[in-house]
Amino acid sequence: MTALKDLSEVRNIGIMAHIDAGKTTTTERILFYTGRSYKLGEVHNGTAVMDWMEQEQERGITITSAATTCYWKEKKINIIDTPGHVDFTIEVERSLRVLDGAIAVFCAVGGVEPQSETVWRQADKYHIPRIAFINKMDRNGANFDRCVSMIAKRLGANPLPIQLPVGKEAEFEGIIDLIEEKMLVFDEQSFGQEIIEKEIPGDYKEKFTAARMMLLEKLADFDEGIMEKYLDDTSVSAPEIYKALRKATISLNIVPVLCGSAFKNKGVQPLLDSVVNFLPSPLDVKDIEGVGLNGEVISRKSDPREKLAGLVFKLMSDAFVENLAFVRVYSGKIALGDKIYNPVKQKQEKISKIMKLHANKREEVQEISAGDIGAIAGLKFSTTGDTLCEKGDHIVLESMDFPEPVIGVAIEPRSKADEKKLSETLAKIALEDPSFTVSTDKDSGQTIISGMGELHLEIIIDRLLNDFKVSANVGKPQVAYKETIESTHRTESKFDQMTGAKGQYGHVEIEVEPLDRGAGIVFVNNVDKERIPEQFLGAIRKGVVDTLDSGPLIGYPVTDIKVTLVGGSYHEEESSEMAFGIAAAMAIRRATSEAGPKLLEPVMDLEITTPEEYIGEAIADINGKRGKIVGVSAESNLQIVKAHVPLAELFGYSTSLRSATQGRANFTMHFLQYDVVPASRAEAIVKKIRGI
């Protein structure tokens, strides 16, 4: 292991892409060329180091982010390989939250695909500098220029090729390095380890000259030195280009674009060079900011000598190991035996075991310090999104937003003996995956587990039955409906009872009105403290919010509603928080049932890619599913259909799309919004759930 001189030699990067663009294969090659692995792991035959879960190996997809560390040219690279399937977007989100840079992998045939857009927007949200790697240049239909154009058009980015492919599809030979002005060929006998430098082929000279001019022209916009030389028609040296390109990449002005074929071992070492040359070290990114005890903004430099600031970005547990908390340390250090503080939970934690990770292998270490990513075993109180700081200090780093689950299934233990094990295991999984929830149906008493999609729940159930060995019966997937109201309504409620020798009195008058989709619950107090003292407002609000957990139609949560406290009264002697809470609950229950309750359903944003001859079948299928077509566009010989379709209609959609298009179309979908269920359909759902 190389000794590092300072943090400028560290890179914390993620590898992100649409499913099947070749992220994991690219990571496997990186591990091979950096000496972290001694044989080439392959996704298609289940030997990829980073896809270590049984569920990943069976399906050939990445489900959980895997972390590892490798060294390239005396630089330390911490890598997180993230999933590409939309059901596991939360894994990408929490990885990007703690990374300094990313490699966006694109398929040379598919270009910018739906999930490419999703992960790109997530990287935009956290201001992550990126380099793009156009993979699979050896595949039929590979088109480098089209991919670059799609990155500009569909992602609104400023892509700048720093390489050109020589040949394409089966004729893909190697790459032309526009900065160093040479061609690179990767020797097949040594699995691409030996790189042969060649002169640029004559028939590529013109293309090379034009591409290099474009490179200098774009860089001139961000670097005065290059602008002067470009205008004077003076040659620009490679070190000058590297320096300008690094600066423009880190400031998010440019995305360097590289190409290759990870599977065929071509182009991976130049990609590693680009990670080192263009992506930021912890010293290049903005100081981390958090909130102090009194709401003041505190910033911390990426320095081991600073006070500690770390973020728990993921929890992981399995049947054999105590909880592992993945931590990014922004400043200071965490050492074995330290007592640290979690200001979110207001609890102290003792550090008993620290580990560096290589996929599912763990290596115990004495400490992790600023700029590092590691794992801590056995934290008792800390969960995803929590900050860790020094004892006696208080800083809370920005947490993460997690999407609400849209699909659920009922689950029950097969026997009384399995009851405790099932509830404990579900609690474990819910702790490590914030997009998975466990709830109890108030009417039936059933346990409902909810997630982001059919595949998400399928994987969780698979883990429950096979990894954790829990015997359980699982129902069919159910849509996570919500309820709302369609009109404004005012009502009052009085709770006036004797409990023992003392009376209990609470009286409230509330008004409910509908809000726009996605607004949630808004509570407003319009009553002065002479009518209802401030000490009872918390109980009234709690009574309202708790009751809205179960709506008047079929007991789903009520949302997109404004509740205004407009009147009420109290007794000096007999009023209590309990009485006002009960009065508020009674009032909101009556108000929502009389304000035209409506059922809401999750609507998905669906994108289908189909050969032209099946476009009619694909559209007809969507129309038959209460879908709304929002756009159709052509990409080479394929048609891309965008539609909004209720989730309830999309169970088993992959089967129906396959049969409609002879298996030649594919699709992606993600949650868009909740929308009102048509009246006749809502009536049928209500009757079915009520058992009428």
Side-chain angles (χ1 to χ4, degrees), residues 169-367:
E169 300 178 345
E171 306 298 311
F172 178 57
E173 279 181 65
I175 57 175
I176 293 171
D177 185 327
L178 296 178
I179 302 174
E180 298 287 350
E181 305 183 68
K182 59 192 177 192
M183 178 178 167
L184 304 176
V185 176
F186 302 85
D187 175 51
E188 289 181 20
Q189 300 300 313
S190 64
F191 301 107
Q193 282 177 295
E194 192 185 328
I195 302 171
I196 303 149
E197 293 184 7
K198 290 186 171 182
E199 284 291 311
I200 294 165
D203 51 345
Y204 275 85
K205 280 273 169 62
E206 198 177 313
K207 199 173 180 186
F208 159 75
T209 307
R212 188 171 159 90
M213 287 299 285
M214 170 64 77
L215 172 72
L216 296 174
E217 196 178 302
K218 273 203 179 181
L219 281 179
D221 291 341
F222 307 105
D223 187 280
E224 283 183 18
I226 289 181
M227 180 178 273
E228 280 174 26
K229 289 195 169 185
Y230 178 71
L231 294 173
D232 292 345
D233 209 10
T234 314
S235 69
V236 182
S237 69
E240 287 174 295
I241 295 175
Y242 285 125
K243 189 181 171 189
L245 197 47
R246 177 178 180 78
K247 190 178 159 195
T249 305
I250 291 172
S251 58
L252 304 178
N253 288 315
I254 273 175
V255 177
V257 182
L258 299 91
C259 62
S261 167
F263 181 57
K264 291 286 174 72
N265 311 312
K266 293 177 180 177
V268 179
Q269 296 97 319
L271 177 64
L272 275 164
D273 289 339
S274 293
V275 166
V276 166
N277 289 332
F278 308 129
L279 289 181
S281 75
L283 298 178
D284 295 314
V285 295
K286 212 173 99 179
D287 293 349
I288 190 71
E289 287 187 345
V291 177
L293 195 54
N294 303 313
E296 74 279 16
V297 175
I298 301 171
S299 69
R300 294 270 161 86
K301 289 188 188 311
S302 197
D303 187 333
R305 293 163 299 190
E306 273 263 11
K307 282 185 175 179
L308 170 66
L311 185 78
V312 177
F313 66 95
K314 175 179 171 160
L315 291 188
M316 189 174 86
S317 59
D318 56 38
F320 315 105
V321 180
E322 57 193 320
N323 263 353
L324 274 183
F326 285 54
V327 178
R328 163 72 195 260
V329 182
Y330 287 99
S331 63
K333 58 176 73 169
I334 299 174
L336 217 54
D338 279 358
K339 285 181 180 166
I340 59 173
Y341 182 60
N342 178 334
V344 179
K345 300 288 191 298
Q346 298 183 356
K347 298 278 189 183
Q348 186 176 290
E349 299 270 23
K350 186 162 191 305
I351 306 300
S352 55
K353 197 184 280 183
I354 305 173
M355 283 173 271
K356 282 298 183 67
L357 301 166
H358 176 47
N360 64 333
K361 296 182 179 68
R362 294 151 190 149
E363 172 199 338
E364 289 195 34
V365 293
Q366 293 298 305
E367 65 173 36

